[in-house]
Amino acid sequence: MNIRHILRAGLAGLALAMALPAGAQAEPLRVLGGSPTRALQVPMNRAVVVESDVAFTELSIANPGIADISSLTDRTIYVLGKAPGRTTLTVLGENGRLITNVEVHVTPDIAEFKERLEQILPGEGIEVRTANDGIVLSGVVSSIGKLDRALELAQRYAPDRVSNLMSVGGTQQVMLKVRFSEMQRSVSKSLSASLGARGTALGDDLGLAIGTNALGNAGGLGTALGGSLPAATTGNAATLFGFNAGGVEVGLLLEALENRGVVRTLAEPNLTALSGQEASFLAGGEYPVPISQDGGNISIEYKPFGVELGFVPRVVEGDLINLELKAAVSSIDSANGIVSNGFTVDAFKRRETSTTVEMRDGESFAIAGLLSDDFSDLKGQVPWIGDIPVLGALFRSAEYSRRQTELVIIITPHLVTPTRGETLAMPTDRVRPPSERDLFLFGRIAADRAPQSGGAGEIARQDFSGSYGYVMD
């Protein structure tokens, strides 16, 4: 019997040595006077020894799925944690006498988790605790990326049982500055010649009328030779020549037109949001669009237009910012509208971008660019006659047009912190409503007095004389 007890004690000691980490010592829970000194904390997949000052004859565990037990001697109990949870160990003496009930708490093995956490995220102030059968993380980390890595590692040790009480330190508010810059240039030129002749012979019995372009339409030749431009022409610059040669009337109309146009669009929306939160911005309006319904009914749907900005910033680490954004500039284009069921619906001219980029505080990124160059060259002439040198110029017309568009969208994120309200200046700070005396006696549309302190005063003291605004070469 003694040899069997020695072998069982030796095997239990070997298993305990394998279960404990290197350098750790098993501190047995002692049962004195019929009650344990404390609740028994057992890490999952590790073992703890319970000693009793009274010899026991029988052991039982309330939930064998949580912990497993075996007796090493009549006074020593070996407890192995199997799954997170709580259960009760009952120790009985002679004649079924109750010695004690020991509360057993099996918790996730956070010792190894702490070691791995320190190796992967050194220097981070993360505190690890156990709660029931889960892991609780608390403390302050330096970035959202490190917070996510800590949570991902904790899930390996306690799947779906991780409570996050951590917070991210540092500046976590991002202001995004977006610049839309667009230039449209257009050039068109046209040159055309019209020749007409009309004559009569043998009185009014025989007549002849020929013409090209504007002078070839009915009645145009007579009107031209009468001294007026033909009604069909739309030229801004036209010269009419006409003469009579006996009974023949000859008219020559030269038309030349040149158009040049420049359209410039510039928008700079700014928007501030907390890291990980979505923010949106619209400066413009909503356009009513009629929608046909079943039964012939008409409903109105409103479409937004103007400067739109929506983004989700994420401070990854330090001043590194991940941006998921959508930006657009739209305007009403009445030239391409349609008429349907008596309703006139204008079209929309829209430039937008949707992307995800990553950059540091204060850096800029050109996230979108467009260079468009449309060119057309048309020539019309009377067949064969228009190919005659010199004289053929009177029987042909030429049109030339070119349209260029340049569009660039640039974004710049900044990490920002709030400030006191009186240090901020508004666009209206320099302009105050006039008093009745200023308005009626002196004709002033704004008061002379301006704020003298704070950010508004600083703006008021600036000199706005001379050239100012944006300059694009």
Side-chain angles (χ1 to χ4, degrees):
M1 182 66 67
N2 292 335
I3 295 176
R4 186 175 65 178
H5 285 170
I6 293 174
L7 291 176
R8 292 180 61 184
L11 292 175
L14 179 60
L16 182 60
M18 295 175 63
L20 289 175
Q25 295 181 353
E27 297 181 1
L29 175 72
R30 302 191 64 85
V31 178
L32 304 174
S35 63
T37 56
R38 65 182 186 277
L40 182 61
Q41 303 287 341
V42 183
M44 188 173 63
N45 298 325
R46 297 185 182 272
V48 172
V49 176
V50 179
E51 292 184 350
S52 174
D53 60 349
V54 179
F56 58 83
T57 59
E58 187 178 351
L59 302 172
S60 65
I61 189 75
N63 189 347
I66 295 178
D68 195 7
I69 58 174
S70 62
S71 59
L72 302 178
T73 65
D74 58 354
R75 296 174 181 266
T76 308
I77 308 169
Y78 179 82
V79 181
L80 175 65
K82 298 175 62 178
R86 293 188 178 188
T87 187
T88 303
L89 169 64
T90 301
V91 183
L92 301 176
E94 297 180 355
N95 301 323
R97 178 178 59 87
L98 177 65
I99 297 178
T100 186
N101 285 322
V102 181
E103 185 176 2
V104 179
H105 295 178
V106 179
T107 60
D109 185 11
I110 63 174
E112 182 183 359
F113 172 61
K114 288 182 178 180
E115 294 176 5
R116 297 293 179 266
L117 195 62
E118 183 63 27
Q119 292 173 358
I120 297 175
L121 301 174
E124 297 293 332
I126 302 177
E127 300 179 1
V128 182
R129 299 181 179 88
T130 59
N132 196 4
D133 59 345
I135 296 177
V136 179
L137 302 180
S138 60
V140 179
V141 294
S142 59
S143 68
I144 293 181
K146 293 183 177 180
L147 184 146
D148 293 337
R149 286 196 289 271
L151 292 176
E152 183 179 357
L153 182 61
Q155 290 289 342
R156 300 280 184 175
Y157 290 86
D160 300 325
R161 298 190 304 275
V162 179
S163 298
N164 176 27
L165 300 181
M166 295 182 292
S167 60
V168 180
T171 303
Q172 297 297 310
Q173 294 182 118
V174 179
M175 183 188 73
L176 181 64
K177 179 180 181 180
V178 181
R179 288 179 287 171
F180 295 86
S181 180
E182 183 181 23
M183 289 291 295
Q184 297 180 10
R185 293 181 291 269
S186 61
V187 177
S188 64
K189 299 179 182 179
S190 64
L191 177 63
S192 64
S194 301
L195 179 64
R198 185 178 64 176
T200 59
L202 300 177
D204 293 332
D205 296 334
L206 179 62
L208 175 65
I210 62 172
T212 62
N213 296 338
L215 289 182
N217 52 22
L221 182 60
T223 305
L225 299 182
S228 302
L229 290 176
T233 183
T234 58
N236 290 346
T239 303
L240 175 66
F241 301 93
F243 62 91
N244 295 335
V248 178
E249 297 177 344
V250 179
L252 176 62
L253 177 66
L254 298 178
E255 293 179 283
L257 176 64
E258 180 177 3
N259 289 328
R260 294 179 181 269
V262 175
V263 178
R264 169 189 162 194
T265 302
L266 178 65
E268 294 190 8
N270 295 343
L271 188 60
T272 302
L274 188 65
S275 177
Q277 301 298 316
E278 182 179 3
S280 60
F281 169 89
L282 171 63
E286 292 186 339
Y287 181 81
V289 178
I291 304 297
S292 177
Q293 304 290 337
D294 295 339
N297 297 326
I298 301 296
S299 64
I300 301 298
E301 181 177 345
Y302 289 88
K303 299 291 185 180
F305 69 93
V307 180
E308 302 174 61
L309 174 62
F311 80 112
V312 179
R314 295 181 179 87
V315 181
V316 179
E317 184 174 357
D319 62 347
L320 185 63
I321 305 170
N322 178 281
L323 292 172
E324 179 182 346
L325 65 96
K326 183 176 182 180
V329 173
S330 58
S331 59
I332 298 175
D333 185 7
S334 57
N336 295 317
I338 62 173
V339 178
S340 177
N341 296 328
F343 292 95
T344 300
V345 181
D346 294 329
F348 283 86
K349 185 178 181 181
R350 185 176 180 88
R351 288 83 74 203
E352 68 175 317
T353 180
S354 178
T355 184
T356 301
V357 294
E358 195 168 88
M359 65 189 74
R360 297 193 178 275
D361 177 22
E363 294 181 341
S364 296
F365 218 132
I367 60 171
L370 170 66
L371 178 60
S372 176
D373 192 349
D374 298 329
F375 170 79
S376 64
D377 190 0
L378 301 176
K379 184 179 70 170
Q381 67 178 23
V382 177
W384 304 299
I385 302 178
D387 295 329
I388 300 175
V390 183
L391 182 61
L394 300 177
F395 297 90
R396 62 174 176 259
S397 62
E399 295 182 4
Y400 161 87
S401 65
R402 187 175 185 180
R403 181 181 179 88
Q404 293 179 321
T405 301
E406 297 179 53
L407 170 66
V408 177
I409 302 178
I410 300 175
I411 63 171
T412 305
H414 295 280
L415 294 174
V416 295
T417 56
T419 184
R420 299 183 62 85
E422 58 269 17
T423 63
L424 300 177
M426 301 293 291
T428 55
D429 288 338
R430 296 190 72 254
V431 179
R432 296 295 177 89
S435 64
E436 294 182 355
R437 176 174 175 270
D438 291 334
L439 179 61
F440 294 110
L441 293 183
F442 300 102
R444 297 169 181 163
I445 60 174
D448 289 338
R449 299 183 61 185
Q452 300 298 324
S453 62
E458 179 65 26
I459 296 296
R461 287 189 292 272
Q462 294 182 13
D463 183 11
F464 284 89
S465 61
S467 300
Y468 62 93
Y470 298 92
V471 178
M472 298 186 67
D473 296 331

